[in-house]
Amino acid sequence: MNFDPTIGHEIKKTLPCVIISPNEMNKYLKTIIIAPMTTNSHSYPTRVKLKFSQKTGWIVLDQIRTVDRRRIVKKLGTLNAKTISEVKNVLNEMLVE
């Protein structure tokens, strides 16, 4: 995902991301809801640690945003069921409870 241009403390440059919007929504809209991934982070309650492409990193759920799907550069893979569950739990804690 290409994040340029950005402002302030937003994550910059091209980074892998997790699409968190549901497929039913993605099918019809020209925008998607994403969470960036980074290897340069610390453990925070709003970040999910994972191993991806032989690297340890985090899904940065405190930086979720809606972007035009044209920002997608390429698909790199999919998350396992355990990581998907962790993402859903953190989102639920952040936004619902």
Side-chain angles (χ1 to χ4, degrees):
M1 186 73 58
N2 182 356
F3 287 106
D4 289 327
T6 57
I7 298 172
H9 293 284
E10 297 173 346
I11 289 183
K12 297 169 175 55
K13 67 185 175 180
T14 301
L15 290 172
C17 293
V18 173
I19 297 173
I20 58 174
S21 49
N23 288 334
E24 299 81 17
M25 200 169 113
N26 299 338
K27 184 176 177 181
Y28 296 103
L29 300 178
K30 295 184 191 289
T31 56
I32 54 175
I33 302 171
I34 58 92
M37 294 169 61
T38 184
T39 56
N40 188 17
S41 182
H42 301 284
S43 184
Y44 295 117
T46 57
R47 300 189 178 184
V48 175
K49 192 173 184 177
L50 79 159
K51 189 95 163 169
F52 188 79
S53 295
Q54 314 307 331
K55 296 179 184 176
T56 299
W58 288 266
I59 302 169
V60 186
L61 295 170
D62 52 276
Q63 295 250 352
I64 60 175
R65 62 184 86 181
T66 301
V67 297
D68 190 288
R69 61 183 347 121
R70 291 178 293 179
R71 287 189 181 265
I72 297 173
V73 176
K74 67 180 174 179
K75 182 178 177 178
L76 299 176
T78 57
L79 300 178
N80 63 41
K82 180 180 181 258
T83 303
I84 291 170
S85 180
E86 289 180 47
V87 167
K88 288 179 178 181
N89 288 337
V90 171
L91 288 171
N92 186 57
E93 186 72 27
M94 283 174 50
L95 304 174
V96 178
E97 302 207 3

